Amino acid sequence: RKYRFRLLDGGPSRFYSLWLSNGMPFQHIANDGNMLPAPITAQSVQLGVAERADIVVDFSQLPASTTELYIINRAEQVDGRGPTGNLLPMSQAPKLLKLVIRPSTGAPDNSRVPTSLRPKPAMDLPVARTRDWHFDRTNGMWTVNGKLFDHNRCDAECKQGTAEIWNFSTAGGWAHPVHLHCEEPLVLSYNEKPVAGTVLGGRKDVFTLYPGDTMSVYIKFRDWLGRYPMHCHNTVHEDHAMMVRWDIVP
């Protein structure tokens, strides 16, 4: 039958490329906190720190006899900078979770994965301005736009009832999973390419930037006034001041 798995990268600095050990495909149906507009057939899921994913695996594709599989991580990573970009061979990838699939003894599985899930929200608020956020290493310290975090400093005042476009970028040899509090933006482009039909095509709250990446998002400010953080979710970077405070104001 089919099973739905909720995947979370809960580690401090590890990145993942998750596969089933036999390479079988599955349906990727959700990321972070939301359903995708439509399921995506995939063989792997890439997760930066704090990113989430929901997948549906149809084990009826397997033989009727008992089968053992593993969820494995093929992302090669040798230090806290992030993955090298190489995929480990299936036989060498660390095994994270063992799955034992036994023959069905109950009713047939009539569940299905719908062809449409959750429509992408409308970008229906006026864009008040565009902001650039650059995540980098400055004088050996983790910075955003060249500055360390100061909770007494507001780095962006955003007016309630408007929207903005935020451009994220990074340099150097480090990966930065950027996490935004309060609102879930819509990704407009990743490395200047459209994201429709990809796992970035729905709402998200973690935006993983690998060295040299750029990403543009559309963010609305709707419900709550107050102070909010945005930070790198690599815990080492976050704990060493790679964070900004932004405010939603009347």
Side-chain angles (χ1 to χ4, degrees):
R1 58 160 296 141
K2 302 178 192 69
Y3 279 81
R4 177 175 173 176
F5 293 85
R6 178 71 162 160
L7 309 173
L8 161 69
D9 183 345
S13 302
R14 173 74 64 181
F15 293 71
Y16 292 90
S17 179
L18 299 176
W19 297 62
L20 292 167
S21 56
N22 65 350
M24 68 183 292
F26 47 79
Q27 297 292 299
H28 191 154
I29 63 169
N31 61 20
D32 295 352
N34 305 277
M35 290 285 188
L36 295 170
I40 296 173
T41 300
Q43 286 182 287
S44 64
V45 171
Q46 321 314 314
L47 294 179
V49 180
E51 279 192 294
R52 290 87 75 199
D54 285 44
I55 65 172
V56 175
V57 183
D58 185 359
F59 293 113
S60 69
Q61 302 174 56
L62 298 174
S65 57
T66 298
T67 304
E68 292 185 357
L69 295 177
Y70 293 87
I71 295 178
I72 60 176
N73 177 28
R74 296 185 65 192
E76 181 185 66
Q77 184 171 344
V78 297
D79 55 32
R81 290 176 176 270
T84 64
N86 298 324
L87 286 179
L88 297 170
M90 291 281 200
S91 60
Q92 298 178 19
K95 299 173 180 177
L96 305 182
L97 181 68
K98 182 178 181 178
L99 307 172
V100 180
I101 301 92
R102 303 191 186 281
S104 175
T105 57
D109 176 20
N110 296 318
S111 66
R112 64 185 182 89
V113 178
T115 56
S116 296
L117 298 171
R118 181 173 181 175
K120 190 173 182 177
M123 293 185 287
D124 53 359
L125 289 179
V127 175
R129 62 171 295 172
T130 297
R131 301 181 194 270
D132 296 328
W133 302 101
H134 185 65
F135 293 76
D136 207 346
R137 191 169 171 85
T138 304
N139 296 323
M141 301 294 289
W142 304 111
T143 60
V144 182
N145 289 349
K147 298 177 181 178
L148 298 173
F149 177 60
D150 181 349
H151 72 276
N152 292 313
R153 183 188 72 236
C154 174
D155 290 309
E157 283 195 350
C158 308
K159 291 189 177 181
Q160 189 180 44
T162 69
E164 294 185 1
I165 293 176
W166 287 9
N167 299 316
F168 302 138
S169 62
T170 184
W174 298 82
H176 301 293
V178 177
H179 178 49
L180 191 68
H181 287 232
C182 185
E183 285 282 0
E184 293 176 307
L186 297 171
V187 180
L188 299 174
S189 65
Y190 176 47
N191 291 331
E192 301 183 356
K193 295 179 180 179
V195 298
T198 75
V199 295
L200 297 177
R203 294 191 299 172
K204 280 184 67 60
D205 59 49
V206 180
F207 309 91
T208 297
L209 303 174
Y210 297 97
D213 277 356
T214 61
M215 191 179 295
S216 294
V217 305
Y218 171 93
I219 177 173
K220 296 192 280 190
F221 312 107
R222 300 171 298 168
D223 297 323
W224 298 285
L225 302 174
R227 300 177 176 184
Y228 299 94
M230 176 174 64
H231 58 92
C232 177
H233 224 298
N234 181 322
T235 308
V236 177
H237 300 182
E238 175 188 357
D239 287 352
H240 289 82
M242 197 174 220
M243 184 182 300
V244 298
R245 188 193 112 198
W246 60 279
D247 297 357
I248 298 180
V249 299

